[in-house]
Amino acid sequence: MPSWLLAVLLLVLASLAYADSLSNPFLYDDIPLILQNPEIRSLDNLIPAIGLKESGFFLRARWTRKALQAAQWALAGPAPELYHATNIILHACVAILLFALIARLSGDRWLGWWSGALFAVHPILTDVVTPASGVRGLLAALFALLAVLLMDHARRSGGFRWIALAAISLYLSIASKEVGIIAVAGFILVDLYRRGLSEQSGQGRANLPTALRRIMGEQPLRYLGAIALVLIASAALVSQSTFSVYLQESGGSPSYYDANGEELGFTDRARLVGTGARLLLVPIGQSVDYFYDAMQIAAPGWTPLEVLDLGTLIALLVLTAIGLWRLNWIGFGGIWFLLFLAPTMGFIRWHEVFAERFLYLPAAGICVALAGLGVQLARKPGWGRPMLAFGVGVLVLLGSATVLRNRIWSSELSLWQDAVDRYPRSVRAHKGVANAYRESGDFELALMHYEKARTILPIYRPAYIGLADTYLSMGRVVDAQNALSSALQKWPEYSEAWFQKGVIHERLGKTDRAIEAYEQAIEFRPDFAAAYNNLGRLHATRGDLEGALELFLESLEHDPSHLPAIRNLAVVYRRAFQDGERAEHYEALARRLTGESEEQSG
């Protein structure tokens, strides 16, 4: 069977597994990153998104997603089908690149194909492929695998152009998601295995230490160059200030460290790695959220699931060590899994300790290990047909699980209710269910889940804001104020609570108190663009147009894409200051951000 046909089969497998996600609406991160993101409303925003400005070039974090989504918005607007179809195609391309990499490395197309096939249909990857916002992970994986292939080709064939293409691909992977930097380590692993396998075929048995000694003896500059490339890429990441140590507001929720009062210990990190391995080997118990105590990391003592996860990790480490020594594909897959998972396992402080999207690139390693074991058994006398039937059965089971998992993503309520059912102590899952109930008008159930989240984790700030919003929707203004007051008693500097308090006062017509609340929000968060805008609007209603103008401009200083402030500036300049030129400037900016024509905005 020709390689191009094998690649087409992988495209078909991925399409069958994810076809039912085409009808899914925008959910979860899709809302802020696509529906509420003014930066993707016009193709004119592509240049600044990439980092090109009149004053020079600036590194921008994850700009590839914005560039692609701007093109998608230009073609389809807010229709989700194109975004989902793009994800499916990108996922299939990643599976095909994995097929190409393993087939090229091993000289065995069937090993490569089964690796790509398991990857194409595995349900754990739905957390990246099914939501439209997962495109950042898909782009990172696509460019990372492409970079490894190009670096490998440059090593074998030489030529500056291949090195340049590999560098560009590596940059695009990092610009999609920072974990792409591990592609350099992935290339080193591929190179070591290639040399080791050639030693095996030429001289019988060879192991990894032997291959490593010979390569370092012959071409040490290759690896010194790779290390230099890692250092350069690391400097690029630092310059983007992607990994901030100030995580109190990151992701809209306190981090695990803030919630538990201490950083992750060694056993906690080991547990997270074991959880990822267990879910890849047996994808049962998937959830969109593992926040705070969903995994019971914060709870004292040992749970049966924790013992299982740590046991899975120990087994994986033992098999990987043996596989590395013998240079088999279990060793390759195990070390690939550990390499690409390491950056997300608590070594860099972040507001999530674990998420299934962290497993997208690491999953390739487990798929290679399983495919290697299966292909080896299939080539034993009399095992060919049974193993083929078993492999097809595995693909059908995994693909069916993926189809079922896609349906969980059909609504906010089904997505978060599934998370609550699986992990009842996940506070963010309760908040997600509460948000869905509030949007549907079922306020009593929304209040119940917000209260549950606050009970599980009393310092979970979004629960207080959710309670206030729900009470306000019910017309229970006093209860909304009490919820905010309770939050402010615990955290007097909580800027979001002050902002919401200002909104309530404004609705009640208490302009002076609303102004005081917005000013407090700005005092505790000087870059709060929405607070500057609301404060400017109140100043305008009082006739202080100069003060309002300054506040609107200050809002844009902190968030140049804050659409309400842009529109307010256009109105003030046109109606109050009779400055048509400046008004047109901000009207045009608003049109670029929204993608509207002049007639539509008029």
Side-chain angles (χ1 to χ4, degrees):
M1 188 176 294
S3 296
W4 68 265
L5 185 54
L6 292 174
V8 170
L9 285 176
L10 291 178
L11 175 62
V12 171
L13 281 177
S15 300
L16 289 174
Y18 288 96
D20 62 332
S21 69
L22 290 171
S23 59
N24 286 353
F26 289 126
L27 300 175
Y28 197 29
D29 284 348
D30 300 348
I31 307 302
L33 294 180
I34 299 176
L35 287 184
Q36 297 176 352
N37 186 3
E39 290 187 330
I40 69 169
R41 293 294 184 270
S42 172
L43 293 175
D44 293 339
N45 300 324
L46 285 180
I47 299 302
I50 293 172
L52 294 174
K53 299 182 179 179
E54 293 180 359
S55 55
F57 176 73
F58 298 87
L59 289 170
R60 294 289 303 272
R62 304 189 180 188
W63 63 263
T64 55
R65 169 188 60 80
K66 296 177 183 177
L68 176 58
Q69 288 176 344
Q72 290 172 317
W73 189 275
L75 291 172
E81 291 82 5
L82 176 63
Y83 301 83
H84 292 309
T86 303
N87 279 17
I88 295 172
I89 293 171
L90 288 173
H91 176 59
C93 289
V94 175
I96 291 170
L97 284 178
L98 179 62
F99 158 50
L101 175 65
I102 301 304
R104 182 183 177 91
L105 174 61
S106 64
D108 186 341
R109 287 188 305 149
W110 284 113
L111 172 61
W113 188 85
W114 280 99
S115 301
L118 290 172
F119 186 87
V121 301
H122 202 295
I124 203 70
L125 308 181
T126 53
D127 200 50
V128 173
V129 185
T130 305
S133 55
V135 72
R136 50 195 167 179
L138 295 168
L139 291 172
L142 181 74
F143 289 120
L145 286 177
L146 185 59
V148 173
L149 275 166
L150 289 169
M151 283 187 274
D152 182 61
H153 188 77
R155 187 202 67 80
R156 297 179 67 187
S157 305
F160 175 77
R161 65 182 182 278
W162 299 112
I163 297 174
L165 289 173
I168 292 171
S169 188
L170 178 63
Y171 167 68
L172 291 174
S173 180
I174 296 171
S176 301
K177 209 169 184 180
E178 293 75 18
V179 73
I181 192 175
I182 306 299
V184 178
F187 159 68
I188 294 175
L189 174 64
V190 167
D191 201 25
L192 287 172
Y193 253 70
R194 180 183 298 285
R195 182 56 184 266
L197 292 172
S198 68
E199 293 287 341
Q200 280 183 330
S201 61
Q203 303 178 13
R205 184 176 180 276
N207 54 36
L208 190 66
T210 301
L212 181 60
R213 284 195 300 270
R214 291 186 177 179
I215 290 178
M216 291 302 293
E218 295 174 5
Q219 293 179 316
L221 290 179
R222 179 191 311 163
Y223 292 97
L224 293 176
I227 292 171
L229 189 58
V230 170
L231 294 176
I232 293 171
S234 299
L237 292 179
V238 171
S239 69
Q240 295 182 93
S241 301
T242 303
F243 302 119
S244 172
V245 296
Y246 302 102
L247 297 173
Q248 193 73 358
E249 302 289 341
S250 180
S253 58
S255 70
Y256 165 83
Y257 311 93
D258 298 322
N260 197 39
E262 61 183 1
E263 295 189 6
L264 290 174
F266 175 79
T267 56
D268 295 326
R269 291 193 176 100
R271 164 79 189 285
L272 297 174
V273 178
T275 299
R278 171 177 59 82
L279 287 171
L280 282 167
L281 293 170
V282 184
I284 296 175
Q286 286 185 251
S287 171
V288 69
D289 184 76
Y290 297 85
F291 180 73
Y292 180 55
D293 209 18
M295 299 171 64
Q296 297 185 323
I297 289 179
W302 291 73
T303 65
L305 194 59
E306 186 172 4
V307 173
L308 176 62
D309 289 339
L310 290 174
T312 302
L313 175 60
I314 292 171
L316 175 67
L317 292 175
V318 170
L319 291 173
T320 299
I322 295 172
L324 285 174
W325 182 265
R326 296 181 177 179
L327 281 177
N328 64 31
W329 295 106
I330 294 178
F332 178 93
I335 200 66
W336 181 284
F337 169 78
L338 294 170
L339 276 175
F340 279 93
L341 192 61
T344 58
M345 291 297 100
F347 297 102
I348 298 169
R349 289 187 56 172
W350 192 239
H351 64 280
E352 289 177 302
V353 293
F354 183 77
E356 290 174 14
R357 64 179 178 276
F358 298 166
L359 297 173
Y360 189 78
L361 260 174
I366 298 298
C367 292
V368 171
L370 294 175
L373 179 61
V375 169
Q376 183 178 1
L377 290 175
R379 286 177 174 151
K380 291 181 178 294
W383 283 64
R385 291 182 183 275
M387 286 304 300
L388 178 60
F390 177 76
V392 172
V394 169
L395 291 182
V396 171
L397 285 175
L398 291 177
S400 300
T402 298
V403 171
L404 293 175
R405 187 69 194 162
N406 290 333
R407 295 175 183 174
I408 300 295
W409 285 84
S410 62
S411 71
E412 289 279 357
L413 183 58
S414 63
L415 181 66
W416 289 109
Q417 187 63 58
D418 175 77
V420 167
D421 292 341
R422 294 180 187 277
Y423 299 102
R425 289 189 59 79
S426 172
V427 292
R428 194 162 56 186
H430 282 286
K431 185 201 74 171
V433 170
N435 288 347
Y437 279 126
R438 190 185 72 202
E439 290 296 323
S440 66
D442 199 335
F443 299 127
E444 293 297 336
L445 283 175
L447 291 175
M448 182 187 75
H449 283 282
Y450 284 130
E451 287 289 1
K452 183 68 174 177
R454 188 168 64 166
T455 301
I456 295 171
L457 184 59
I459 66 169
Y460 187 57
R461 298 182 179 186
Y464 295 84
I465 299 299
L467 283 171
D469 286 342
T470 306
Y471 282 131
L472 197 59
S473 298
M474 300 171 71
R476 295 165 60 176
V477 177
V478 174
D479 290 328
Q481 290 176 319
N482 290 338
L484 293 174
S485 297
S486 179
L488 289 171
Q489 285 177 2
K490 294 177 180 290
W491 311 285
E493 77 292 349
Y494 189 16
S495 56
E496 184 65 29
W498 283 110
F499 179 80
Q500 294 290 356
K501 207 172 183 66
V503 171
I504 291 176
H505 287 316
E506 192 174 349
R507 290 187 183 182
L508 294 175
K510 299 178 180 180
T511 305
D512 290 338
R513 301 190 65 180
I515 289 175
E516 292 174 3
Y518 290 139
E519 288 175 344
Q520 285 282 8
I522 291 170
E523 179 181 347
F524 294 118
R525 183 179 157 190
D527 63 344
F528 206 152
Y532 284 108
N533 175 70
N534 285 17
L535 192 58
R537 185 162 36 75
L538 291 180
H539 277 269
T541 59
R542 289 185 160 191
D544 182 10
L545 298 177
E546 292 286 351
L549 188 65
E550 291 181 9
L551 288 164
F552 293 145
L553 290 171
E554 184 75 17
S555 176
L556 291 189
E557 181 71 24
H558 299 293
D559 182 2
S561 63
H562 191 62
L563 199 56
I566 293 171
R567 285 175 167 157
N568 285 334
L569 277 168
V571 171
V572 169
Y573 275 123
R574 186 170 295 281
R575 297 182 182 177
F577 294 98
Q578 305 298 315
D579 191 336
E581 183 177 351
R582 291 187 179 181
E584 174 56 31
H585 167 75
Y586 288 106
E587 289 167 355
L589 178 58
R591 288 195 297 271
R592 286 200 301 272
L593 289 173
T594 59
E596 295 178 345
S597 65
E598 189 170 354
E599 292 76 13
Q600 288 174 319
S601 62

